[in-house]
Amino acid sequence: MSFLKIESLEFKYPKGPTILSIPHLSLEEGQGLFLYGPSGHGKSTLLNLIAGVLAVTSGEISIGETKLHQLSAGKKDKWRGDNLGYVFQQFNLIPYLSIFENIMLPCQFSKERKLKTSDKEIHELIERMNLSSFIHRPVKDLSIGQQQRVALCRALVGKPKLLLADEPTSALDEKNTTELMNLLKEERAKNQLTTIFVSHDLRLKPYFDIHHSLVDLNQSKLSDSKMEAQNV
Ligand SMILES: Nc1ncnc2c1ncn2[C@@H]1O[C@H](COP(=O)(O)OP(=O)(O)O)[C@@H](O)[C@H]1O
Ligand SMILES: [Mg+2]
């Protein structure tokens, strides 16, 4: 049975056109999906649907035993807190909190996550991410590459079942990108972590098992009109 299953998904923002129309997408546990596509093609929207931040207009999203499209907003929040790691393009760290405090944030929102980790494990993760020397420093004083590694630690804390990453390397230079991608690959392998990574940067493809173009996957008119606009 697939770990993640999307069937007949349709999504539109209120009063807008249909942005996404995805007949089928599935992923086995532990697989890493690289979903690529130019800006404005619904990559962030799709991740927000899979995270349960947005609700599908119609269709189904199942993750493990959970039918996300059937949960109430409150239950979705709890499910997200317990099961999901999310790395954002702009990190979304809290600037005046230390590395350690930022990494521990998901455990404050989820008892389940807190129970699945320990101080020892968190320190080991910080060590693997080469962040040990700065652990009590406010994150605003770190380099961009270090901040994104903190964001990755925060997403991984408490062993989430699913990791979503929304263009997490777009603010990084090549050296920091390579470092982050290698660390991500190691952590994924260690924990059999199912991952969906979206980006417009095709150089990142080799780090993942499965690759899909969102333009091909998406049957909505958005794909056609945007592509035509680009070809003019
Ligand atoms: N909150 C919103 N309300 C209305 N339209 C939106 C909203 N967010 C994004 N969109 C539109 O949805 C489309 C896809 O956006 P997005 O998912 O951010 O694409 P990507 O992440 O691939 O750049 C774009 O046309 C964008 O203008
Ligand atoms: Mg986006």
Side-chain angles (χ1 to χ4, degrees):
M1 203 184 99
S2 307
F3 174 71
L4 172 107
K5 205 162 100 185
I6 290 178
E7 292 292 347
S8 310
L9 179 149
E10 299 274 334
F11 177 78
K12 51 174 140 186
Y13 288 102
K15 293 186 191 144
T18 298
I19 301 270
L20 291 170
S21 173
I22 300 180
H24 176 81
L25 176 67
S26 65
L27 212 54
E28 301 300 319
E29 191 157 15
Q31 281 184 325
L33 167 64
F34 181 72
L35 198 60
Y36 56 96
S39 141
H41 275 72
K43 300 187 296 300
S44 298
T45 303
L46 180 58
L47 285 194
N48 282 327
L49 287 163
I50 295 169
V53 174
L54 292 171
V56 296
T57 306
S58 61
E60 301 184 359
I61 301 182
S62 307
I63 299 165
E65 303 284 294
T66 306
K67 292 186 182 311
L68 213 53
H69 53 282
Q70 290 179 350
L71 296 188
S72 64
K75 287 213 167 112
K76 264 196 270 199
D77 289 345
K78 172 150 175 24
W79 174 85
R80 188 180 321 118
D82 290 346
N83 295 293
L84 201 75
Y86 209 120
V87 192
F88 301 88
Q89 188 168 4
Q90 298 301 335
F91 320 156
N92 291 16
L93 299 171
I94 300 193
Y96 291 92
L97 294 184
S98 70
I99 290 185
F100 191 77
E101 289 163 333
N102 267 283
I103 293 172
M104 289 304 288
L105 281 174
C107 297
Q108 290 192 6
F109 297 110
S110 164
K111 219 198 272 176
E112 206 172 290
R113 249 154 108 179
K114 193 169 180 178
L115 288 173
K116 277 200 266 171
T117 192
S118 64
D119 275 9
K120 182 169 170 276
E121 250 180 31
I122 292 166
H123 281 100
E124 282 167 6
L125 183 61
I126 289 171
E127 176 96 43
R128 289 199 298 277
M129 297 276 170
N130 302 320
L131 291 166
S132 303
S133 333
F134 324 103
I135 185 161
H136 296 300
R137 203 183 276 186
V139 294
K140 71 179 174 56
D141 296 341
L142 301 178
S143 74
I144 296 293
Q146 288 163 344
Q147 288 187 39
Q148 195 54 306
R149 297 207 301 277
V150 175
L152 180 58
C153 284
R154 184 183 57 182
L156 294 171
V157 82
K159 303 187 185 60
K161 293 203 176 72
L162 179 64
L163 178 72
L164 303 179
D166 191 350
E167 310 220 32
T169 61
S170 60
L172 304 183
D173 62 21
E174 200 160 333
K175 178 174 171 288
N176 279 303
T177 295
T178 308
E179 197 169 275
L180 190 83
M181 294 310 291
N182 284 327
L183 286 165
L184 173 62
K185 201 170 174 188
E186 281 168 33
E187 293 302 319
R188 287 196 44 236
K190 189 171 293 184
N191 298 309
Q192 268 285 310
L193 178 59
T194 314
T195 302
I196 303 178
F197 188 108
V198 306
S199 178
H200 63 272
D201 186 352
L202 293 175
R203 288 175 301 180
L204 306 178
K205 250 176 149 179
Y207 292 93
F208 299 91
D209 321 306
I210 303 172
H211 318 125
H212 287 307
S213 150
L214 186 55
V215 174
D216 293 343
L217 211 61
N218 185 11
Q219 308 291 307
S220 89
K221 289 271 187 300
L222 177 81
S223 289
D224 302 341
S225 57
K226 282 278 165 81
M227 289 312 283
E228 278 161 22
Q230 279 178 358
N231 289 336
V232 175

